[in-house]
Amino acid sequence: MSIFEYNGSALVAMVGKNCFAIASDRRLGVQLQTIATDFQRIYNIHPKLFIGLSGLASDAQTLYQRLVFRHKLYELREERNMKPETFASLVSAIQYEKRFGPYFCQPVIAGLGDDDKPFICTMDAIGAKELAKDFVVAGTASESLYGACEAMFKPDMEAEELFETISQALLSSVDRDCLSGWGGHVYVVTPMEVTEKILKGRMD
Amino acid sequence: MGDSQYSFSLTTFSPSGKLVQIEHALTAVGSGQTSLGIKASNGVVIATEKKLPSILVDEASVQKIQILTPNIGVVYSGMGPDSRVLVRKSRKQAEQYHRLYKEPIPVTQLVRETAAVMQEFTQSGGVRPFGVSLLVAGYDDKGPQLYQVDPSGSYFSWKASAMGKNVSNAKTFLEKRYTDDMELDDAVHTAILTLKEGFEGQISGKNIEIGIIGADKKFRVLTPSEIEDYLQEVE
């Protein structure tokens, strides 16, 4: 079994009209055994920047800790928050440092940049960035997620509709993947506020 | 005060609490050619005298004002070769920042890192402090900025400043002439007038150097003919 499939994960981020949504599943497993059903995969770097980390949970946690460290120092030195594009470049550089012994993580980065323009991107385990205008997916359920998002996505959705769309895409995709699921965790971010919702899906 | 007994070693404090080597470095700066900088509302100008040791020197090959990044430039007073080392290190640091963040380095960050280099050379063995003070002019998201960095590693943000020979006259002149709403062209004229105050001989486009950066965020050194145009406006 691949190291990326050891813990199981599902991550998706979508762009809406002046807003974005990022969602993950909640299962933490050790191969076939489920260990936790409230595992956090999406982290808040600053109020307008979120990062989701799929793949090996241990590496995801370590990588997150390193990124928070770097961002806190950046904030102290430069007296401003990092733009999402800058943060994505930083994550990519940190991953490539470990080119021959990588972090087994696929990050999904979502944030509001200059003028509150939504920004999403994903990258592979060694930092190859992939920018997208509509949606990005990661994790063991990624193939199902690609299909679901492609079918359900529309450009310029408002926050309410975006929430519905991303939730349906996530729940239907994790139902086809035995390693991810046990509900969903969705963040919808607009320039005004951040809404956090827990979804109840098939609890298996 | 017995300070002279402590002046041989950089890393030993004198009884009066000074590092005498740094004082000497500042003296080296103070006997260098005058340079100055003025921050306008829409840009920054830096300027320096370019007195060459002989008329046989090819003045087109000498460039005292250097570019660090497309939107940050620097001028020095003091020992030219020392300034070249700092320019090289600063350029590298700016590029490293860009490689990591894919963003141009903010002026404050570059100044901070350059100042840290200069400070290193005041607290290491077997080295001497840099014999230059730098005036860094840049334009980034926070607007136009002008910083002075000293051999000790301390840095200050200025609205207008001068260094080198004739510094006190130049600063008095700038204090009288500076206004907060000055535009870039006015600042260039004021810079020329300030240089003219202490200039020995006939000022021309070939014996001063001027660098400007405006709202276009592109630092450039003026050509001798552009300087001549400004000089004529000033007359």
Side-chain angles (χ1 to χ4, degrees):
Chain A
M1 182 190 258
S2 155
I3 186 76
F4 289 98
E5 289 160 19
Y6 188 73
N7 295 123
S9 53
L11 271 176
V12 54
M14 274 192 191
V15 166
K17 196 170 165 74
N18 299 328
C19 63
F20 69 85
I22 182 168
S24 76
D25 72 322
R26 304 190 80 205
R27 177 181 180 272
L28 174 72
V30 173
Q31 296 190 311
L32 55 99
Q33 186 182 23
T34 301
I35 305 290
T37 55
D38 58 358
F39 188 66
Q40 188 177 19
R41 281 207 171 79
I42 298 176
Y43 300 99
N44 181 348
I45 302 287
H46 67 72
K48 289 184 180 174
L49 179 58
F50 286 75
I51 181 167
L53 291 161
S54 71
L56 192 64
S58 157
D59 282 357
Q61 285 180 335
T62 308
L63 185 57
Y64 161 69
Q65 286 161 6
R66 278 194 71 186
L67 292 169
V68 160
F69 170 82
R70 296 297 294 259
H71 182 260
K72 280 187 184 170
L73 282 179
Y74 181 96
E75 235 185 315
L76 284 169
R77 263 186 273 121
E78 306 220 5
E79 293 171 354
R80 62 178 174 141
N81 281 330
M82 237 191 242
K83 290 192 268 213
E85 296 88 349
T86 314
F87 185 71
S89 298
L90 176 66
V91 177
S92 174
I94 288 181
Q95 285 187 297
Y96 196 82
E97 267 173 24
K98 301 249 180 258
R99 170 67 175 79
F100 300 107
Y103 289 113
F104 296 112
C105 290
Q106 199 181 347
V108 164
I109 295 163
L112 291 174
D114 284 336
D115 300 324
D116 290 331
K117 191 161 174 282
F119 170 87
I120 53 169
C121 89
T122 184
M123 54 192 84
D124 69 3
I126 46 174
K129 265 188 283 186
E130 190 205 307
L131 306 174
K133 293 198 176 68
D134 41 17
F135 56 86
V136 290
V137 304
T140 47
S142 60
E143 278 158 0
S144 302
L145 278 165
Y146 272 123
C149 290
E150 197 67 55
M152 298 187 200
F153 180 81
K154 292 194 318 264
D156 287 329
M157 283 185 278
E158 295 286 345
E160 300 277 315
E161 207 192 340
L162 188 64
F163 167 72
E164 286 299 326
T165 310
I166 203 175
S167 307
Q168 292 295 352
L170 180 72
L171 287 176
S172 55
S173 305
V174 304
D175 284 348
R176 279 289 182 184
D177 176 26
C178 56
L179 294 173
S180 52
W182 280 96
H185 202 149
V186 186
Y187 291 85
V188 180
V189 181
T190 67
M192 302 303 135
E193 56 168 357
V194 174
T195 1
E196 185 185 338
K197 292 206 177 79
I198 308 281
L199 303 172
K200 193 164 162 129
R202 273 184 67 107
M203 298 311 209
D204 65 356
Chain B
M1 209 231 142
D3 263 8
S4 56
Q5 289 178 308
Y6 292 85
S7 68
F8 62 91
S9 166
L10 165 64
T11 51
T12 310
F13 276 107
S14 74
S16 57
K18 291 192 252 176
L19 285 166
V20 192
Q21 277 297 304
I22 298 186
E23 307 289 318
H24 294 334
L26 285 164
T27 315
V29 170
S31 53
Q33 290 182 5
T34 315
S35 61
L36 56 93
I38 303 178
K39 181 168 71 171
S41 58
N42 60 344
V44 194
V45 59
I46 47 177
T48 181
E49 284 180 6
K50 191 161 77 164
K51 284 263 190 58
L52 298 166
S54 140
I55 52 165
L56 291 174
V57 175
D58 177 6
E59 78 271 336
S61 71
V62 175
Q63 192 162 57
K64 290 178 71 177
I65 299 186
Q66 303 270 43
I67 193 169
L68 294 181
T69 70
N71 64 327
I72 305 177
V74 68
V75 72
Y76 71 91
S77 274
M79 298 168 68
D82 283 9
S83 84
R84 278 200 288 277
V85 170
L86 284 169
V87 163
R88 205 185 160 89
K89 284 190 199 250
S90 301
R91 283 174 176 167
K92 193 171 179 185
Q93 274 158 349
E95 271 314 305
Q96 275 170 348
Y97 184 99
H98 186 266
R99 195 166 167 254
L100 189 57
Y101 296 113
K102 301 286 186 293
E103 224 188 38
I105 189 169
V107 184
T108 23
Q109 301 303 313
L110 186 57
V111 167
R112 182 187 302 224
E113 300 206 14
T114 309
V117 168
M118 292 171 87
Q119 193 280 341
E120 262 174 50
F121 281 69
T122 67
Q123 209 176 9
S124 306
V127 296
R128 62 163 177 80
F130 287 98
V132 283
S133 277
L134 300 174
L135 271 175
V136 181
Y139 201 122
D140 62 10
D141 293 334
K142 292 202 187 114
Q145 291 162 77
L146 177 67
Y147 284 91
Q148 177 176 343
V149 195
D150 278 341
S152 57
S154 44
Y155 59 92
F156 314 92
S157 176
W158 290 90
K159 297 181 201 173
S161 180
M163 326 183 292
K165 277 196 275 250
N166 206 35
V167 59
S168 42
N169 286 344
K171 278 198 174 169
T172 322
F173 190 87
L174 284 170
E175 270 171 38
K176 290 205 195 95
R177 283 277 184 141
Y178 183 80
T179 59
D180 280 321
D181 53 3
M182 212 183 237
E183 294 218 336
L184 191 53
D185 272 345
D186 303 324
V188 177
H189 291 139
T190 311
I192 292 179
L193 287 168
T194 318
L195 277 179
K196 232 175 147 189
E197 280 286 294
F199 205 88
E200 290 157 21
Q202 177 71 341
I203 199 170
S204 83
K206 293 207 181 132
N207 50 26
I208 59 170
E209 236 179 82
I210 300 183
I212 56 169
I213 179 161
D216 61 352
K217 296 194 190 170
K218 289 208 169 37
F219 184 84
R220 61 184 196 89
V221 180
L222 299 178
T223 61
S225 48
E226 283 173 315
I227 301 181
E228 290 289 346
D229 291 338
Y230 276 108
L231 277 169
Q232 279 174 2
E233 285 170 30
V234 158
E235 300 289 334

